[in-house]
Amino acid sequence: MSENISLPKPYKITDIIKETEIEYTFRVEADLEVEHGQFFQISLPKVGEAPISISGIGDNWLEFTIRKVGKVTNEVFELEVGENLFMRGPYGSSFPINEYKDKDLVVIAGGTGVSPVRSTLKYFYENSDSIKSLYLIAGFKDEDSILFEEDLEKFKSEFNTIYTLDKEKIDGFEVGFVTDHIAKVPFDSFENYNVIIVGPPVMMDAAAKEVLKNGVVEEKIWVSFERKMSCAIGKCGHCKIDETYVCLEGPVFNYTKAKDLLD
């Protein structure tokens, strides 16, 4: 009998990390083949399910950074270490890691958009000799919404980093939106490079237009529509933009395709 790929399975929670008041990272035991940028359907029996991007990949474990925003996530936040999180997946397209190797990489992420690109950042942090350079611009609304503070601090040792808050000034952070700092990236000095942009649709649209102004061609830009994911199997239609099912063809898209999907 073939396996029912739409049937959730239980995975044991081994750690829960409080990132902010409304965002926690859940680590689960999972021996699965996954790729950076993919997502799972997280569920609880008799409650419902929600699509969540992978924020961390390790030996026999996965991490998901979840925001408390509705019925399913509210119930997930009631779980404790040792209990089960139900999941099905992985689903969707991924960031083309091999295409980024031996080149310069620019990552521009806003708010919760740091989550789906975090595993990619950690991969290149741990394999820094596989990439020429990495420029990271990460922006958050305010001090209370900063995610992955330990990772951001570690990244400074290997990456060229710009961290920014929308309107606050604190140590280690600039002021302004991520788009205000894109011109600081020396695109002219790169021979071969790629750009990843992840965040709210308005931010991705503005950031993409800004990097294009700086001479980047569309083919070098990658985005993730992680907020648009839905059932993961192309049945419910909630993620459909024109004729594109984000859960099947995405969430990672090259900008040549994504430019027609942005709100």
Side-chain angles (χ1 to χ4, degrees):
M1 179 180 287
S2 61
E3 185 178 5
N4 186 348
I5 61 172
S6 64
L7 187 66
K9 295 180 180 180
Y11 294 87
K12 184 179 178 181
I13 299 170
T14 59
D15 198 10
I16 301 174
I17 302 147
K18 182 179 180 179
E19 306 286 356
T20 72
E21 288 299 320
I22 60 170
E23 286 145 330
Y24 288 8
T25 295
F26 293 79
R27 178 177 290 192
V28 300
E29 288 181 351
D31 183 15
L32 299 169
E33 290 188 13
V34 299
E35 298 178 354
H36 304 280
Q38 290 188 302
F39 70 99
F40 278 74
Q41 286 288 347
I42 304 295
S43 64
L44 291 174
K46 300 181 181 180
V47 177
E49 66 178 9
I52 305 291
S53 293
I54 300 162
S55 65
I57 301 172
D59 293 330
N60 299 320
W61 58 262
L62 296 172
E63 288 182 339
F64 300 89
T65 302
I66 300 175
R67 172 178 276 193
K68 190 177 183 181
V69 293
K71 182 177 72 171
V72 177
T73 53
N74 288 349
E75 292 295 326
V76 168
F77 270 55
E78 297 298 317
L79 297 176
E80 298 179 355
V81 171
E83 295 187 282
N84 287 327
L85 195 59
F86 286 78
M87 311 190 319
R88 59 180 175 90
Y91 295 110
S93 57
S94 59
F95 293 110
I97 297 296
N98 289 332
E99 189 166 328
Y100 301 155
K101 289 181 178 178
D102 301 317
K103 301 174 185 176
D104 298 289
L105 180 63
V106 179
V107 178
I108 305 166
T112 55
V114 180
S115 296
V117 79
R118 175 181 175 239
S119 68
T120 299
L121 291 168
K122 294 189 78 169
Y123 174 84
F124 284 118
Y125 174 79
E126 294 164 1
N127 300 276
S128 57
D129 59 342
S130 68
I131 199 165
K132 288 184 68 175
S133 74
L134 195 151
Y135 283 76
L136 169 61
I137 304 176
F140 302 92
K141 181 180 178 181
D142 52 37
E143 184 176 6
D144 293 334
S145 62
I146 298 171
L147 296 172
F148 315 122
E149 292 190 62
E150 289 186 10
D151 288 333
L152 294 180
E153 188 61 34
K154 287 194 301 184
F155 292 160
K156 291 179 182 179
S157 66
E158 294 290 343
F159 305 155
N160 300 282
T161 59
I162 300 173
Y163 303 146
T164 184
L165 302 180
D166 288 357
K167 297 179 181 178
E168 293 182 17
K169 181 69 178 84
I170 63 172
D171 287 345
F173 284 77
E174 304 289 336
V175 178
F177 301 116
V178 293
T179 48
D180 297 326
H181 301 280
I182 289 172
K184 298 176 182 178
V185 178
F187 291 105
D188 290 344
S189 68
F190 299 152
E191 292 183 6
N192 206 339
Y193 63 95
N194 289 280
V195 179
I196 295 174
I197 302 173
V198 191
V202 172
M203 169 257 159
M204 290 197 296
D205 186 42
K209 289 174 179 175
E210 191 64 28
V211 298
L212 290 169
K213 286 181 187 176
N214 282 268
V216 177
V217 296
E218 293 180 351
E219 291 79 5
K220 295 180 181 292
I221 304 171
W222 304 84
V223 303
S224 174
F225 284 78
E226 60 115 10
R227 294 189 178 201
K228 290 284 189 180
M229 302 174 305
S230 197
C231 72
I233 54 176
K235 296 298 183 184
C236 74
H238 290 167
C239 73
K240 191 177 181 184
I241 305 174
D242 296 328
E243 298 304 313
T244 300
Y245 287 88
V246 172
C247 70
L248 295 180
E249 297 182 47
V252 177
F253 292 94
N254 187 267
Y255 188 71
T256 54
K257 171 83 172 179
K259 65 181 180 180
D260 297 322
L261 305 177
L262 285 163
D263 295 335

